[in-house]
Amino acid sequence: MSRPDEPEARDLVARLNAGKLSRRDFVTRASALGISTGAIGSILAACGGDEEVAPPPAETPPAETEPPAETEPPSETAPPAETEPPAAGDPADIAVVAAKAHAGYTVKVTYEGGLQALDPKNFSGPLWEELTGIKTQVIELPFPELYSKPIAEHIATSGAFDILDVPPPNIPSFVEGGVVAPIDDLIEQFGYGPAQEDVHPLYRALGTYKGQTYGIFDDGDMFALYYRKDIFEDPELMSAHESELGRPLAPPTTWDEYTETATFLTGKLAPDVYGAGAFRKQGSPGNQFAFFQQLRANGGTFFDPETMDAVINSDAGVKSLEQMLAVNKASIPGVEELDAVGQWTAWLQGKLAMIFSWPPTGRMSENYSQRDESFSFIPESTIVGKVGYAIMPQLNGEHAGGFVKCISADSKNLEAAYLTVQWLTSPSISLQRVTLPYALRDPYRISHFTSEEYGSLWPGAKDYLAMLNDAANNGVIDLIMPAAADYSFAIDRACSAVWGGEDPKRALDNAAAEWNKITDQTGRDKQKDAYAAFLTLPGATAENTIAALGQALTL
């Protein structure tokens, strides 16, 4: 079996680069030489999108067009595999071998509309078709419809989807409603188990519910603190900060310190630079993420596990909301109407000294994302080389959102759908996906955090990856149980009411009453069982983070 660095392989790569070999022919011949699918994907990604070398797959139907019925044979009529998948090895290679039996099928996959969908449309979808003959139809949905649309299609038994991109909080509702299929047998059949061990332990259980696996994790959406090193290392500011606040100017380690430092920097630097800025606009993406992380960091939780009465209006809850309000007062003017993109824009323009947000912040700060025209909606970074990384104040940052790839229970070809997911989330292919400039999928595997390739994307990328690993060690997770979205919306509205002048305690009392009504409507006994299951997950509380459980990963 030839190796990728032997003469035949080097000749293939040279011919591909010269435009003398199509991508499809390259894939076929490289596979025959024994080059792994991970290596093939890396080579094709490195060759870019030159039309002569890599013509787009014209036969892939657009998202709004239903593929012809004859391309979607039901799983029970799919031809038998010509080659038995190997019992062990690269899960990407295993998936490719087995998936060739389903060539001609079109897997229909949901993605949040916009940037999230660029990966399957531009990279992974075309490559999967080249390797297996399975087409990918990307169905873009607004974020709220990632919850409502699969439920509606399941009720209609339409078979509209094969693969669902599911935020972890939605999984219990999907399982209870029969929307998604269990996949433990498929994981065992196709040897994916060892690849699960490469996922950071905070994320491993997020595709499970009540002891069964319904999806494979695909997005490490950890909040972290990003700060301007040039500001925090300015001698005059350092001296003044220590003189006025009695401690060094450094990344804050508590939420009260965060407010104090933000207030200090705003007082010294505004209107050119403000101490902080946050996404506080209701629903954009939502204040619940910030409240949930501070609630746990302050020792609070969501429900009384015995009665299932909401306890978000506890002293810890009120303190958290008061701290959030104090940060607003130290932030850029208009913060109450700032959404996530607006926060990024102000940050990249150099108007903020520190922010907390999702991992794309690190890539955008170094102009890595902006090299792709898809990111033209944000400005070029003015702070390249000036950004430091830290875990959140009081350690317990939120894993806010994220995605798990689940198989629709109504898929007409469960095996083809599962194999697509196994390939997409395998170590070799997922690394390529999280390093795409235009992708919004964030590192979640140990091999992502230790990747020499990722760590060399910009000076300081290794520090960024190490910080994301540490953030996951100490991170808390979103509320995961039926009606999680309804509980979250109630908190978002409560926070917005406080920005508008409502007393924090009164706002949380109102939200707690709304939570109790949601619990009663959903079924109190049912929710009690679901909440008990949630509390077993790492990161459900500040007391059972990965670090608190003694399972922290040190890179």
Side-chain angles (χ1 to χ4, degrees):
M1 181 178 291
S2 299
R3 291 163 19 120
D5 58 350
E6 290 186 350
E8 300 96 324
R10 290 199 302 271
D11 179 64
L12 279 183
V13 174
R15 294 173 65 191
L16 174 67
N17 281 322
K20 297 178 180 179
L21 195 66
S22 72
R23 286 166 66 103
R24 188 179 298 277
D25 286 343
F26 172 79
V27 169
T28 301
R29 299 184 189 188
S31 296
L33 287 176
I35 301 176
S36 72
T37 58
I40 291 171
S42 296
I43 293 167
L44 291 174
C47 289
D50 185 275
E51 188 170 352
E52 181 182 7
V53 178
E59 64 270 31
T60 301
E64 65 273 12
T65 303
E66 283 296 316
E70 62 269 21
T71 67
E72 299 183 340
S75 57
E76 62 267 21
T77 63
E82 296 179 4
T83 306
E84 284 295 318
D90 186 333
D93 289 336
I94 293 172
V96 167
V97 171
K100 289 178 180 178
H102 305 286
Y105 187 75
T106 298
V107 290
K108 294 170 288 187
V109 302
T110 65
Y111 270 83
E112 182 181 7
L115 293 175
Q116 290 282 7
L118 292 179
D119 162 18
K121 290 198 293 188
N122 295 348
F123 173 68
S124 57
L127 178 56
W128 182 236
E129 183 180 356
E130 289 171 350
L131 291 169
T132 67
I134 295 177
K135 301 178 177 66
T136 300
Q137 181 187 355
V138 181
I139 301 168
E140 298 186 53
L141 298 172
F143 186 83
E145 291 187 22
L146 292 174
Y147 176 74
S148 60
K149 189 70 170 174
I151 293 174
E153 296 295 344
H154 175 65
I155 293 172
T157 64
S158 67
F161 308 128
D162 293 288
I163 300 170
L164 302 173
D165 231 15
V166 182
N170 294 349
I171 288 178
S173 293
F174 280 10
V175 173
E176 299 282 356
V179 177
V180 293
I183 58 173
D184 291 287
D185 290 347
L186 290 164
I187 288 174
E188 182 177 1
Q189 178 182 351
F190 294 103
Y192 191 74
Q196 295 281 60
E197 296 302 309
D198 182 47
V199 174
H200 190 284
L202 178 65
Y203 308 134
R204 289 176 194 165
L206 294 184
T208 66
Y209 185 62
K210 294 185 176 179
Q212 283 194 291
T213 305
Y214 292 90
I216 296 178
F217 189 79
D218 193 40
D219 188 16
D221 261 352
M222 278 304 310
F223 276 170
L225 181 65
Y226 300 85
Y227 65 96
R228 289 274 301 278
K229 292 190 294 184
D230 56 324
I231 291 175
F232 276 70
E233 295 171 2
D234 179 273
E236 291 186 10
L237 291 173
M238 292 170 66
S239 176
H241 189 277
E242 181 139 22
S243 175
E244 294 179 25
L245 297 179
R247 56 182 174 81
L249 178 56
T253 59
T254 70
W255 282 107
D256 288 337
E257 285 184 1
Y258 188 87
T259 299
E260 291 172 355
T261 296
T263 301
F264 167 83
L265 292 173
T266 294
K268 298 294 184 184
L269 302 175
D272 296 325
V273 179
Y274 292 88
F279 43 85
R280 298 298 204 211
K281 185 176 181 180
Q282 184 174 326
S284 300
N287 290 290
Q288 69 274 10
F289 297 123
F291 177 79
F292 285 169
Q293 73 177 353
Q294 286 181 234
L295 176 69
R296 262 82 62 83
N298 286 325
T301 187
F302 301 114
F303 298 97
D304 180 324
E306 297 301 322
T307 66
M308 282 306 291
D309 288 334
V311 293
I312 51 173
N313 55 340
S314 63
D315 290 345
V318 174
K319 178 180 180 180
S320 299
L321 196 43
E322 289 175 342
Q323 288 173 329
M324 293 170 67
L325 183 61
V327 169
N328 288 359
K329 295 176 181 178
S331 296
I332 190 170
V335 68
E336 296 85 359
E337 289 298 313
L338 204 64
D339 60 16
V341 174
Q343 181 201 39
W344 275 333
T345 297
W347 168 252
L348 296 169
Q349 290 173 337
K351 296 179 180 178
L352 304 176
M354 58 181 176
I355 64 171
F356 68 86
S357 188
W358 285 275
T361 306
R363 302 192 290 274
M364 291 186 291
S365 298
E366 303 301 325
N367 275 333
Y368 180 74
S369 297
Q370 292 90 320
R371 67 179 61 185
D372 189 274
E373 63 181 12
S374 303
F375 271 75
S376 60
F377 68 95
I378 58 171
E380 292 290 308
S381 174
T382 63
I383 52 176
V384 174
K386 300 177 181 179
V387 177
Y389 320 111
I391 58 176
M392 296 297 295
Q394 293 174 218
L395 300 178
N396 305 129
E398 188 85 357
H399 179 252
F403 289 99
V404 175
K405 291 202 174 298
C406 298
I407 310 302
S408 168
D410 303 309
S411 170
K412 296 178 181 178
N413 194 327
L414 290 172
E415 186 170 293
Y418 169 78
L419 291 169
T420 303
V421 168
Q422 173 162 316
W423 178 79
L424 284 167
T425 60
S426 65
S428 58
I429 300 302
S430 65
L431 176 61
Q432 295 171 61
R433 293 173 57 234
V434 299
T435 55
L436 293 171
Y438 53 79
L440 289 184
R441 294 294 147 118
D442 299 308
Y444 60 90
R445 288 187 171 277
I446 300 168
S447 57
H448 296 167
F449 299 134
T450 59
S451 166
E452 290 295 326
E453 176 188 351
Y454 203 139
S456 64
L457 291 182
W458 69 84
K462 285 187 177 180
D463 294 335
Y464 163 80
L465 292 170
M467 177 275 300
L468 291 180
N469 174 74
D470 291 343
N473 285 338
N474 294 279
V476 289
I477 59 177
D478 293 336
L479 180 62
I480 299 175
M481 57 188 295
D486 296 321
Y487 294 124
S488 294
F489 295 151
I491 288 295
D492 191 17
R493 290 191 294 271
C495 292
S496 293
V498 172
W499 311 159
E502 181 79 80
D503 174 72
K505 180 65 165 70
R506 181 183 298 274
L508 285 177
D509 285 343
N510 292 337
E514 189 172 351
W515 275 38
N516 290 336
K517 185 178 297 185
I518 294 167
T519 300
D520 288 333
Q521 291 171 343
T522 309
R524 195 163 284 256
D525 288 340
K526 173 183 175 181
Q527 293 298 77
K528 183 176 181 179
D529 289 344
Y531 187 57
F534 168 71
L535 291 176
T536 67
L537 296 175
T541 69
E543 286 72 39
N544 74 331
T545 63
I546 292 300
L549 294 171
Q551 300 171 12
L553 294 178
T554 302
L555 301 184

